[in-house]
mmCIF file of all heavy atoms in Angstrom:
data_model
loop_
_atom_site.group_PDB
_atom_site.id
_atom_site.type_symbol
_atom_site.label_atom_id
_atom_site.label_comp_id
_atom_site.label_asym_id
_atom_site.label_seq_id
_atom_site.Cartn_x
_atom_site.Cartn_y
_atom_site.Cartn_z
ATOM 1 N N LEU A 138 51.290 135.337 81.996
ATOM 2 C CA LEU A 138 51.695 134.087 82.306
ATOM 3 C C LEU A 138 52.838 133.530 81.404
ATOM 4 O O LEU A 138 53.812 132.709 81.702
ATOM 5 C CB LEU A 138 50.586 133.031 82.475
ATOM 6 C CG LEU A 138 49.553 133.369 83.540
ATOM 7 C CD1 LEU A 138 48.381 132.378 83.416
ATOM 8 C CD2 LEU A 138 50.210 133.081 84.786
ATOM 9 N N MET A 139 52.740 133.833 80.075
ATOM 10 C CA MET A 139 53.753 133.376 79.087
ATOM 11 C C MET A 139 55.117 134.100 79.394
ATOM 12 O O MET A 139 56.124 133.397 79.439
ATOM 13 C CB MET A 139 53.286 133.721 77.771
ATOM 14 C CG MET A 139 52.231 132.933 77.200
ATOM 15 S SD MET A 139 51.884 133.215 75.600
ATOM 16 C CE MET A 139 50.273 132.333 75.402
ATOM 17 N N VAL A 140 55.079 135.377 79.746
ATOM 18 C CA VAL A 140 56.427 136.005 80.096
ATOM 19 C C VAL A 140 56.928 135.442 81.387
ATOM 20 O O VAL A 140 58.176 135.182 81.477
ATOM 21 C CB VAL A 140 56.055 137.546 80.206
ATOM 22 C CG1 VAL A 140 57.333 138.308 80.819
ATOM 23 C CG2 VAL A 140 55.873 138.048 78.805
ATOM 24 N N ALA A 141 56.025 135.144 82.364
ATOM 25 C CA ALA A 141 56.634 134.551 83.568
ATOM 26 C C ALA A 141 57.070 133.132 83.382
ATOM 27 O O ALA A 141 58.156 132.757 83.969
ATOM 28 C CB ALA A 141 55.384 134.375 84.568
ATOM 29 N N SER A 142 56.496 132.385 82.397
ATOM 30 C CA SER A 142 57.131 131.169 81.958
ATOM 31 C C SER A 142 58.432 131.233 81.384
ATOM 32 O O SER A 142 59.356 130.429 81.578
ATOM 33 C CB SER A 142 56.065 130.345 81.141
ATOM 34 O OG SER A 142 56.487 129.060 80.792
ATOM 35 N N ILE A 143 58.561 132.180 80.507
ATOM 36 C CA ILE A 143 59.867 132.387 79.858
ATOM 37 C C ILE A 143 60.969 132.758 81.019
ATOM 38 O O ILE A 143 62.052 132.218 80.985
ATOM 39 C CB ILE A 143 59.860 133.553 78.920
ATOM 40 C CG1 ILE A 143 59.002 132.997 77.671
ATOM 41 C CG2 ILE A 143 61.226 133.998 78.394
ATOM 42 C CD1 ILE A 143 58.676 134.091 76.728
ATOM 43 N N PHE A 144 60.639 133.590 81.886
ATOM 44 C CA PHE A 144 61.609 133.931 83.052
ATOM 45 C C PHE A 144 61.848 132.712 83.871
ATOM 46 O O PHE A 144 62.971 132.509 84.348
ATOM 47 C CB PHE A 144 61.046 135.005 83.857
ATOM 48 C CG PHE A 144 61.228 136.437 83.314
ATOM 49 C CD1 PHE A 144 60.149 137.213 83.069
ATOM 50 C CD2 PHE A 144 62.468 136.842 82.947
ATOM 51 C CE1 PHE A 144 60.329 138.490 82.593
ATOM 52 C CE2 PHE A 144 62.633 138.093 82.402
ATOM 53 C CZ PHE A 144 61.525 138.909 82.088
ATOM 54 N N TYR A 145 60.909 131.835 84.039
ATOM 55 C CA TYR A 145 61.133 130.561 84.725
ATOM 56 C C TYR A 145 62.037 129.657 83.986
ATOM 57 O O TYR A 145 62.956 129.003 84.591
ATOM 58 C CB TYR A 145 59.817 129.836 85.136
ATOM 59 C CG TYR A 145 59.879 128.563 85.835
ATOM 60 C CD1 TYR A 145 60.645 128.490 87.023
ATOM 61 C CD2 TYR A 145 59.231 127.470 85.347
ATOM 62 C CE1 TYR A 145 60.628 127.375 87.776
ATOM 63 C CE2 TYR A 145 59.311 126.246 86.083
ATOM 64 C CZ TYR A 145 60.008 126.165 87.293
ATOM 65 O OH TYR A 145 60.172 125.074 88.043
ATOM 66 N N LEU A 146 62.040 129.696 82.698
ATOM 67 C CA LEU A 146 62.924 128.855 81.984
ATOM 68 C C LEU A 146 64.323 129.439 82.023
ATOM 69 O O LEU A 146 65.285 128.633 82.172
ATOM 70 C CB LEU A 146 62.495 128.856 80.477
ATOM 71 C CG LEU A 146 63.464 128.145 79.513
ATOM 72 C CD1 LEU A 146 63.589 126.621 79.756
ATOM 73 C CD2 LEU A 146 62.993 128.367 78.117
ATOM 74 N N ILE A 147 64.460 130.833 81.941
ATOM 75 C CA ILE A 147 65.670 131.265 82.122
ATOM 76 C C ILE A 147 66.312 131.027 83.461
ATOM 77 O O ILE A 147 67.534 130.668 83.617
ATOM 78 C CB ILE A 147 65.645 132.826 81.933
ATOM 79 C CG1 ILE A 147 65.343 133.077 80.400
ATOM 80 C CG2 ILE A 147 66.996 133.600 82.207
ATOM 81 C CD1 ILE A 147 64.960 134.494 80.139
ATOM 82 N N TYR A 148 65.466 131.095 84.518
ATOM 83 C CA TYR A 148 66.024 130.752 85.820
ATOM 84 C C TYR A 148 66.500 129.312 85.941
ATOM 85 O O TYR A 148 67.545 128.916 86.528
ATOM 86 C CB TYR A 148 64.865 130.999 86.873
ATOM 87 C CG TYR A 148 65.100 130.479 88.208
ATOM 88 C CD1 TYR A 148 66.072 131.218 89.060
ATOM 89 C CD2 TYR A 148 64.550 129.258 88.716
ATOM 90 C CE1 TYR A 148 66.347 130.627 90.302
ATOM 91 C CE2 TYR A 148 64.832 128.829 89.923
ATOM 92 C CZ TYR A 148 65.787 129.495 90.783
ATOM 93 O OH TYR A 148 66.030 129.074 91.995
ATOM 94 N N ILE A 149 65.703 128.450 85.269
ATOM 95 C CA ILE A 149 66.132 126.881 85.266
ATOM 96 C C ILE A 149 67.402 126.725 84.639
ATOM 97 O O ILE A 149 68.346 126.042 85.077
ATOM 98 C CB ILE A 149 65.000 126.105 84.699
ATOM 99 C CG1 ILE A 149 63.809 126.040 85.550
ATOM 100 C CG2 ILE A 149 65.522 124.658 84.400
ATOM 101 C CD1 ILE A 149 62.567 125.476 84.894
ATOM 102 N N LEU A 150 67.541 127.494 83.429
ATOM 103 C CA LEU A 150 68.729 127.205 82.542
ATOM 104 C C LEU A 150 70.070 127.813 83.157
ATOM 105 O O LEU A 150 71.064 127.199 83.098
ATOM 106 C CB LEU A 150 68.491 127.760 81.233
ATOM 107 C CG LEU A 150 67.507 127.142 80.361
ATOM 108 C CD1 LEU A 150 67.394 127.857 79.017
ATOM 109 C CD2 LEU A 150 67.799 125.627 80.106
ATOM 110 N N PHE A 151 69.927 128.790 83.980
ATOM 111 C CA PHE A 151 71.108 129.403 84.551
ATOM 112 C C PHE A 151 71.282 129.033 86.082
ATOM 113 O O PHE A 151 72.244 129.547 86.707
ATOM 114 C CB PHE A 151 71.058 130.930 84.444
ATOM 115 C CG PHE A 151 71.293 131.339 82.989
ATOM 116 C CD1 PHE A 151 70.164 131.863 82.238
ATOM 117 C CD2 PHE A 151 72.493 131.015 82.272
ATOM 118 C CE1 PHE A 151 70.432 132.248 80.950
ATOM 119 C CE2 PHE A 151 72.588 131.407 80.997
ATOM 120 C CZ PHE A 151 71.576 132.033 80.389
ATOM 121 N N SER A 152 70.480 128.258 86.580
ATOM 122 C CA SER A 152 70.582 127.823 88.053
ATOM 123 C C SER A 152 71.664 126.642 88.067
ATOM 124 O O SER A 152 71.766 126.009 87.139
ATOM 125 C CB SER A 152 69.264 127.469 88.676
ATOM 126 O OG SER A 152 68.711 126.255 88.044
#
Side-chain angles (χ1 to χ4, degrees):
L138 290 174
M139 287 182 194
V140 169
S142 182
I143 290 170
F144 281 122
Y145 181 51
L146 174 64
I147 293 169
Y148 171 75
I149 291 170
L150 292 177
F151 291 109
S152 67

